Amino acid sequence: MTETFNTPELLLDRGFSYLLDWCSDDRPFPLNVTGMISMPYSVDLNDLGIFGQRNVSGGAYEEMVLDHFEVMLAEGGGVMALPLHPFVTGQPLRFKHLARALREIAATDGVWLSTATGIADHYLATASVAR
């Protein structure tokens, strides 16, 4: 979230096809630099902000993740970005809550678990506007 106007072109020149700097949509979208897309990124579910700035409990975090997932699923889907930092959510007092939420999400029919790269590759391969 600290890019300059040159960042998308610089990344494309170095073989990247996406940015995670824009918190503006829950679906990928093309940028003005041909072949470069913006991938969804969530400030609301970012564990650094949740645990570091808001001092939320692990149980409340689990509920936030599942509430977010349930609403997105009811609305027909999208990319649910879940920014995680092992030194934050990887701690035992928090990880058990993340694990429970992920088990529930993964057990839901029709959910595709993927990385940002997997989603970007799929989008670029199937969306004619991104080429």
Side-chain angles (χ1 to χ4, degrees):
M1 291 189 262
T2 58
E3 71 180 67
T4 69
F5 289 113
N6 298 326
T7 302
E9 218 163 78
L10 290 170
L11 288 172
L12 188 66
D13 289 346
R14 285 156 182 82
F16 293 91
S17 61
Y18 65 90
L19 291 172
L20 288 162
D21 282 356
W22 293 34
C23 306
S24 55
D25 203 344
D26 61 4
R27 298 178 190 277
F29 60 87
L31 297 175
N32 290 336
V33 175
T34 303
M36 180 61 68
I37 61 174
S38 175
M39 288 292 296
Y41 186 83
S42 175
V43 173
D44 298 320
L45 292 179
N46 189 316
D47 63 353
L48 276 174
I50 289 171
F51 293 117
Q53 296 168 351
R54 293 190 242 159
N55 200 26
V56 169
S57 71
Y61 173 71
E62 179 181 343
E63 186 177 352
M64 291 168 69
V65 169
L66 290 174
D67 286 349
H68 192 96
F69 172 71
E70 289 168 11
V71 170
M72 288 193 74
L73 191 63
E75 290 178 345
V79 175
M80 182 177 154
L82 194 56
L84 301 172
H85 302 82
F87 63 91
V88 177
T89 311
Q91 299 304 311
L93 75 154
R94 298 179 187 124
F95 183 76
K96 71 178 195 174
H97 299 285
L98 172 65
R100 281 198 297 247
L102 292 177
R103 277 194 298 273
E104 186 170 329
I105 291 168
T108 304
D109 288 338
V111 171
W112 176 37
L113 303 176
S114 183
T115 62
T117 299
I119 296 165
D121 290 347
H122 174 75
Y123 179 84
L124 289 167
T126 59
S128 61
V129 295
R131 294 186 186 143

